[in-house]
Amino acid sequence: MKVTDIRIEYLKNPVGIDVKKPRFSWKILSNEKDVLQSSYQILVKHKGDVVWDTGKRDSDSSVLIEYEGAALNPCSIYEVQVEVWDNKGNHATTDGFFETGLLSGTSFQAEWITHNFPDEETACPIFVRDFQVEKEIERIRVYATALGVYEIKINGEKVGDTFFAPGWTNYKKRLQYQTYAVDELQPGENKIEIAVGNGWYKGIFGFTCTPNHYGDRVAALAEIHINYKDGTKEIIVTDESWKTTTGSIRYSEIYMGETIDSTFTAQKFSPVVVTTFDKNRLVAQESEPVRITQKLPAKELIITPKGEKVIDFGQNLTGFVELKVHGKAGQKITIRHAEALDKDGNFYPDTLRQAISVDTFICNGQEQMFLPSFTFHGFKYISIEGLEEINLENFTACVLHTHMEETGSFTTSNPLVNKLQSNIQWGQRGNFLDIPTDCPQRDERLGWTGDAQVFAGTAAYNYNVALFFTKWLRDLASEQTKEHGVPHVVPNILGDQDGAAAWSDAAVIIPWVVYQTYGDVKVLENQYESMKGWVDYITERCGSNNLWQTGFQYGDWLALDKEEGADRTGATDKYLVANAYYAYSTDIVRKIAKILNKTKDAEKYDELYKKIKKAFNEEYITPTGRMVSETQTGCILALHFDLAEEKYRNRILDSLKTNIANHKNHLTTGFVGTPYLCHALTENNQHDLAGTLFLKEDYPSWLYAVKKGATTIWERWNSILPNGDFDESGMNSLNHYAYGSIGEWMYKKLAGINHLEPGYKKILIKPQFIKGITSVDATYQSVYGEIKSAWSCKNHRIKVQVEIPANTTAVIYLPEKEEPIEVGSGSYFFDYETETNLEKDRFSMDSTLQEIMDEPVAVELFKQYAPELMDHPMISLAYQLTISEILATGPKETEALFKMVIDQLNKTKVTN
């Protein structure tokens, strides 16, 4: 037995946290089965003195145990030791540490400093201070933040490896500061420089590409804490003693790109201007920072038909290009960015709209490396100008995103599905850059609440998003108002807009996802007023029928069942969507009230939920069970959110199946229906149909984009048309993760990895087969350890491998077996016979009648069992219809006949 991976607030040995009661977690590794923790002891020390000793506690808790010791001191290191005993008589220990930050923004002794440059100056200001070091140093820490985005250098070397600090928050209420551990300073004179770019604070941003959303002048705040070995301490702070100048970054905007002129020589230094910004708003870094997480080599040099020099990196990504070059002094090299080439093979930057995304580098005549500091791009291709000879090895794409830990893996026997999974992960990486953006490339890149909400479940399988969402949800709550509810984007730069269903419901749904995934009750406590406030906001706007039927709604955004010329909201009644989410969020809030022991609230929202559900059935479902909107999304919401009364469910399910059949077994759903489509089918005994939809390869489908060469998820099902043209709606991102929400169904239903208790303390393993996939191998790194579910169904044998981490239990449902198996931790392998063949059949319900009738065996069977069908005068008109389409309008008894014929045809082909 080993105790490993000790975490403090989800982090390994964090430096600079301001959580006054940090929480401790660890994992247990054991080769034995059925291992449970029986007791633990946590010891926390500061400078050798014990500040908290739990004593030996009889408990199986090993996740997010809150500190209960003496008040923590700022800027202090605490050693942590955890000892664990298990139910097998073993025990083990592990060690870690954490270091506090300033614990309060008001602890900053430094003053805010800015510059006095003219408004037309585009160069990034650099704030400079020289200082002396005469004694031996024990430890150096830098605490810093900015209005803008900043980078610190000490003696010419960048401090830390992060980008876009302090991140994007609601500056009106909150601003993060960062803590950096500096390795060393040189004896004697040292120099610190803080360069500040416009970033989100005052940069060009939003649909109108206007600047100064929060202020019109960048500023910096910093302290260098030097602890000497003789026990003394010195703090160097930003104040009027600093100077300011400009450097090689002559221009920098997130949307527009960056200009670096390495021939520029610093002008004279100017005095700084001391300014103010409320230090009460300052909080320590709350989520993992943005880093370069991967570097991709250039894949191919292309000379386009227009003569453009283009490099393909093989992957649509978010970041920038690192260029190694030995140019002439004054030589200007321009790099433009794009997600795609057009169908003729020319550079196609149109998906970027007004965001020109151009980086310009001016050489100094020496060998040098260019790397932007304060901009990022969404791109797969770059176009290079100003360089005669292009060597691919000199160009490297740097992938940038919040440095989340990868927690999920999912591979199958189907290469197209594997590529889809890769595209989903890349879409998440590209759009989880400090906030959950909708897209990383065009003049938008905003924290759309709807996109984040529908994708949250998938996101939590792929990466550890606990801190990422915790930070963003705090901004969401800070932007929320009683008058307008929850904004459509967070941080909100779009002004006052009344909340909208599915988008503003992020306030409720995402904390619930975080709680379910990590067992984190604190996120529920912290967001409770926000969650409640959103439901109350809707309730205040309901009519006498207890339903929300006023105001703007996105409906089923970008659904395919309505002419786009009208609007983009889809054919499903917009207020049906709104009230389905109203019920869903109320259901979650009543559950949370119970978890938090808020008895009165639990009763209140329980009663409200019942009222909404009753009103929903009266308004949107007829007395015979017909939906007002018999769209795919209308039926999906009624079923998946469990809104339809039991007596109506079968008819609604039939309506859903008929709608799908009438679309040749293709989806028509938008942002709201798509996340739940396959879930609703699987949960209602239509898993085969879910599999059919999932594995479609033509438009519209998930795999259509894969077949078109997509390396991320598209905003639209038809972002690139079958003929190679691009959608020209003016809204066509090729890196937009909402439709990647199918990933949750892949993990839950295909791999079968589910939680029965929050945080996966109790696990459900229930893999389910679909035709066209003969094996799945998936893992999920839970807060207790790795869960694995791998299966194959080949050569008349089913093999299943399951791994359950220590200190958890599981229920396993094996495919084609009825009885569940309850297990403890350990590895399990099952191998048994089957008659099931998951290879994709030649004939299916998607086959046309023509394809069926071309087979003599089918003709003979129809003559034998349904001669009247062969003699029907209209039969030739149905030849181009799929069997699904025919059955959608035909008598029910013909379904069994067609299934028998198709089954016989497939058996005949196998035999031959």
Side-chain angles (χ1 to χ4, degrees):
M1 170 195 170
K2 286 183 181 177
V3 179
T4 184
D5 199 18
I6 184 171
R7 302 289 180 104
I8 296 94
E9 288 299 322
Y10 294 98
L11 299 168
K12 294 180 181 179
N13 301 329
V15 172
I17 62 170
D18 274 3
V19 180
K20 292 177 180 172
K21 292 185 177 181
R23 296 167 300 169
F24 306 95
S25 306
W26 57 87
K27 293 172 184 167
I28 299 168
L29 298 180
S30 176
N31 294 324
E32 297 184 74
K33 285 189 174 181
D34 304 321
V35 172
L36 290 170
Q37 176 182 292
S38 58
S39 49
Y40 71 83
Q41 181 171 8
I42 302 173
L43 204 63
V44 180
K45 295 181 180 180
H46 174 52
K47 294 183 176 178
D49 296 329
V50 174
V51 294
W52 188 41
D53 183 356
T54 62
K56 187 176 179 180
R57 290 184 178 177
D58 293 335
S59 169
D60 66 351
S61 296
S62 60
V63 173
L64 299 172
I65 296 167
E66 190 170 88
Y67 175 79
E68 297 169 353
L72 301 175
N73 297 319
C75 310
S76 299
I77 297 172
Y78 291 84
E79 297 87 29
V80 181
Q81 183 185 82
V82 175
E83 187 168 8
V84 170
W85 292 261
D86 72 8
N87 59 340
K88 306 288 184 178
N90 305 303
H91 77 98
T93 61
T94 188
D95 299 309
F97 72 86
F98 66 94
E99 182 178 328
T100 53
L102 297 170
L103 292 182
S104 168
T106 55
S107 297
F108 266 100
Q109 300 171 40
E111 295 180 285
W112 283 96
I113 55 174
T114 185
H115 60 84
N116 206 13
F117 300 152
D119 291 343
E120 59 270 19
E121 177 61 77
T122 62
C124 295
I126 302 174
F127 302 101
V128 182
R129 160 82 192 262
D130 295 324
F131 60 96
Q132 296 285 327
V133 172
E134 303 296 349
K135 296 190 283 186
E136 278 194 85
I137 293 170
E138 181 183 45
R139 186 171 82 245
I140 311 156
R141 296 291 182 263
V142 178
Y143 305 94
T145 187
L147 303 178
V149 287
Y150 73 94
E151 186 174 271
I152 299 175
K153 289 182 178 177
I154 292 181
N155 301 325
E157 295 294 320
K158 178 174 172 172
V159 173
D161 59 355
T162 65
F163 290 83
F164 304 110
W168 191 6
T169 51
N170 174 13
Y171 287 93
K172 296 168 186 175
K173 300 276 185 73
R174 291 161 30 80
L175 175 63
Q176 294 182 128
Y177 75 88
Q178 287 69 41
T179 302
Y180 303 92
V182 177
D183 292 337
E184 60 183 27
L185 296 174
Q186 60 193 34
E189 190 163 293
N190 291 264
K191 175 182 282 189
I192 181 169
E193 301 168 279
I194 307 173
V196 185
N198 291 340
W200 298 283
Y201 179 77
K202 76 168 294 285
I204 295 167
F205 231 67
F207 297 118
T208 54
C209 288
T210 50
N212 305 333
H213 287 278
Y214 298 101
D216 60 4
R217 189 142 299 204
V218 301
L221 179 76
E223 297 183 355
I224 311 170
H225 289 217
I226 307 174
N227 291 74
Y228 295 108
K229 286 188 175 176
D230 64 5
T232 60
K233 181 175 181 178
E234 181 180 5
I235 301 177
I236 296 160
V237 302
T238 47
D239 57 20
E240 71 281 350
S241 68
W242 288 55
K243 304 293 182 187
T244 185
T245 184
T246 61
S248 61
I249 303 176
R250 307 309 301 159
Y251 174 89
S252 186
E253 290 284 355
I254 289 175
Y255 282 175
M256 304 305 173
E258 192 161 293
T259 298
I260 300 176
D261 182 356
S262 60
T263 67
F264 180 82
T265 52
Q267 300 164 326
K268 63 178 185 179
F269 290 95
S270 306
V272 298
V273 177
V274 173
T275 186
T276 58
F277 185 86
D278 186 2
K279 291 177 183 175
N280 283 301
R281 300 181 198 174
L282 296 178
V283 295
Q285 176 86 28
E286 293 171 323
S287 66
E288 299 90 343
V290 174
R291 288 191 175 98
I292 295 173
T293 63
Q294 191 174 349
K295 292 191 173 186
L296 298 181
K299 187 176 178 184
E300 182 184 4
L301 175 63
I302 301 166
I303 306 300
T304 71
K306 289 183 178 178
E308 303 152 314
K309 295 174 182 174
V310 169
I311 289 177
D312 178 6
F313 287 98
Q315 174 62 54
N316 198 9
L317 60 95
T318 301
F320 42 56
V321 170
E322 179 184 77
L323 169 62
K324 181 181 177 182
V325 66
H326 192 160
K328 298 173 185 174
Q331 181 179 348
K332 183 166 80 170
I333 300 167
T334 301
I335 295 179
R336 296 188 296 145
H337 302 78
E339 297 184 286
L341 304 180
D342 67 20
K343 66 178 180 179
D344 297 320
N346 293 306
F347 195 67
Y348 185 81
D350 294 27
T351 62
L352 278 56
R353 295 195 304 220
Q354 300 171 86
I356 62 170
S357 292
V358 175
D359 289 338
T360 302
F361 305 132
I362 299 173
C363 304
N364 62 9
Q366 301 171 358
E367 184 170 284
Q368 53 192 143
M369 190 79 79
F370 284 107
L371 190 73
S373 293
F374 304 132
T375 191
F376 65 89
H377 312 288
F379 66 99
K380 181 173 182 276
Y381 300 91
I382 59 169
S383 172
I384 306 110
E385 296 169 10
L387 202 58
E388 285 299 316
E389 188 177 327
I390 294 177
N391 296 315
L392 289 180
E393 61 269 21
N394 292 335
F395 292 83
T396 304
C398 300
V399 179
L400 281 167
H401 57 83
T402 294
H403 198 184
M404 307 164 291
E405 174 188 7
E406 189 171 350
T407 50
S409 69
F410 183 95
T411 55
T412 76
S413 59
N414 188 318
L416 295 178
V417 173
N418 297 342
K419 184 59 179 168
L420 172 64
Q421 167 65 9
S422 171
N423 292 359
I424 293 169
Q425 287 184 306
W426 275 102
Q428 181 171 351
R429 293 173 73 180
N431 282 293
F432 278 37
L433 195 152
D434 196 66
I435 66 162
T437 59
D438 58 322
C439 59
Q441 77 296 88
R442 70 187 182 205
D443 52 357
E444 196 162 350
R445 313 186 202 189
L446 303 176
W448 284 98
T449 48
D451 303 54
Q453 178 268 122
V454 298
F455 188 71
T458 299
Y461 274 107
N462 289 329
Y463 292 91
N464 188 321
V465 292
L467 294 178
F468 177 83
F469 276 136
T470 296
K471 175 248 181 187
W472 185 69
L473 286 167
R474 287 171 180 162
D475 282 298
L476 182 149
S478 78
E479 298 275 18
Q480 185 174 352
T481 64
K482 187 171 171 57
E483 182 183 0
H484 297 289
V486 177
H488 306 180
V489 300
V490 172
N492 182 20
I493 62 164
L494 298 184
D496 292 334
Q497 294 174 292
D498 289 346
W503 272 247
S504 302
D505 288 281
V508 177
I509 295 168
I510 295 179
W512 184 242
V513 169
V514 172
Y515 168 69
Q516 294 290 337
T517 305
Y518 307 105
D520 192 338
V521 177
K522 185 71 71 178
V523 78
L524 301 184
E525 293 172 351
N526 292 343
Q527 298 299 130
Y528 184 67
E529 291 304 317
S530 166
M531 291 185 271
K532 217 171 53 153
W534 170 241
V535 170
D536 292 348
Y537 171 91
I538 302 172
T539 305
E540 289 173 9
R541 282 151 184 79
C542 287
S544 57
N545 63 352
N546 295 313
L547 294 175
W548 184 23
Q549 295 176 313
T550 58
F552 170 81
Q553 296 293 345
Y554 289 98
D556 189 21
W557 187 248
L558 296 186
L560 300 173
D561 50 11
K562 183 178 180 181
E563 280 285 331
E564 186 171 301
D567 59 21
R568 294 165 173 159
T569 60
T572 308
D573 183 289
K574 289 184 287 187
Y575 294 116
L576 183 156
V577 172
N579 286 292
Y581 267 97
Y582 178 29
Y584 184 42
S585 282
T586 304
D587 186 27
I588 292 172
V589 168
R590 69 176 182 156
K591 290 173 182 172
I592 291 168
K594 288 173 189 170
I595 291 164
L596 300 181
N597 297 315
K598 297 181 183 291
T599 309
K600 284 188 178 178
D601 278 355
E603 292 170 358
K604 171 186 168 182
Y605 291 107
D606 191 60
E607 190 61 36
L608 177 61
Y609 174 72
K610 290 171 184 171
K611 276 186 188 174
I612 301 166
K613 188 169 176 177
K614 182 173 183 289
F616 183 93
N617 279 266
E618 290 172 352
E619 181 78 3
Y620 297 112
I621 307 174
T622 72
T624 58
R626 183 174 182 178
M627 294 287 298
V628 165
S629 289
E630 284 190 309
T631 59
Q632 291 179 17
T633 292
C635 296
I636 289 162
L637 294 178
L639 294 170
H640 184 68
F641 287 173
D642 194 25
L643 295 174
E645 291 180 23
E646 192 62 38
K647 61 186 176 182
Y648 300 145
R649 290 183 69 91
N650 284 341
R651 180 166 180 182
I652 292 170
L653 181 60
D654 285 342
S655 296
L656 175 58
K657 288 160 59 182
T658 299
N659 185 301
I660 292 169
N662 285 334
H663 290 94
K664 296 184 185 290
N665 281 350
H666 286 77
L667 55 79
T668 61
T669 50
F671 275 37
V672 164
T674 299
Y676 312 118
L677 169 59
C678 287
H679 285 290
L681 290 170
T682 298
E683 290 157 2
N684 288 278
N685 300 313
Q686 299 298 317
H687 184 65
D688 289 346
L689 180 54
T692 299
L693 280 165
F694 176 63
L695 292 180
K696 282 288 181 192
E697 296 178 13
D698 57 340
Y699 167 78
S701 69
W702 286 280
L703 299 185
Y704 167 73
V706 173
K707 296 267 284 190
K708 276 287 182 185
T711 61
T712 41
I713 302 297
W714 295 345
E715 180 174 20
R716 294 168 171 270
W717 296 114
N718 60 344
S719 283
I720 299 176
L721 304 174
N723 68 358
D725 288 339
F726 290 85
D727 172 88
E728 293 184 352
S729 61
M731 197 180 81
N732 187 20
S733 160
L734 301 183
N735 193 352
H736 222 91
Y737 56 71
Y739 290 147
S741 54
I742 185 62
E744 184 179 16
W745 178 82
M746 292 157 61
Y747 277 105
K748 282 189 170 182
K749 302 303 197 292
L750 297 187
I753 298 176
N754 303 266
H755 62 261
L756 287 173
E757 292 179 7
Y760 294 85
K761 178 68 171 166
K762 188 170 186 178
I763 300 156
L764 170 65
I765 301 293
K766 190 179 181 180
Q768 298 181 63
F769 295 163
I770 59 172
K771 279 271 189 185
I773 295 179
T774 58
S775 67
V776 168
D777 188 335
T779 62
Y780 173 66
Q781 186 66 237
S782 76
V783 287
Y784 291 95
E786 185 169 275
I787 302 163
K788 181 183 179 73
S789 175
W791 60 260
S792 66
C793 179
K794 300 172 185 175
N795 304 319
H796 300 292
R797 296 206 72 79
I798 292 173
K799 296 179 180 180
V800 180
Q801 184 183 354
V802 175
E803 291 180 13
I804 303 300
N807 208 26
T808 68
T809 59
V811 177
I812 302 172
Y813 282 85
L814 293 173
E816 302 181 4
K817 303 281 186 183
E818 288 188 10
E819 292 303 312
I821 304 166
E822 298 207 17
V823 300
S825 65
S827 296
Y828 301 90
F829 185 73
F830 308 91
D831 183 348
Y832 50 99
E833 290 185 358
T834 183
E835 292 301 312
T836 300
N837 175 19
L838 294 182
E839 297 288 347
K840 197 168 183 181
D841 291 323
R842 183 182 167 192
F843 298 99
S844 69
M845 291 294 182
D846 283 341
S847 302
T848 64
L849 183 58
Q850 177 76 66
E851 290 168 333
I852 299 291
M853 298 301 284
D854 283 345
E855 298 297 319
V857 172
V859 174
E860 287 303 316
L861 287 169
F862 284 129
K863 281 180 180 177
Q864 182 179 349
Y865 292 101
E868 71 282 0
L869 180 69
M870 303 298 294
D871 297 332
H872 198 288
M874 305 293 283
I875 189 170
S876 60
L877 298 178
Y879 271 25
Q880 298 311 310
L881 297 177
T882 65
I883 306 305
S884 293
E885 289 176 287
I886 293 169
L887 293 176
T889 53
K892 286 282 182 189
E893 55 269 20
T894 58
E895 184 172 350
L897 172 63
F898 275 108
K899 282 184 175 176
M900 182 266 289
V901 170
I902 288 168
D903 188 47
Q904 192 60 46
L905 286 177
N906 287 324
K907 284 180 181 175
T908 303
K909 288 294 168 185
V910 170
T911 304
N912 291 345

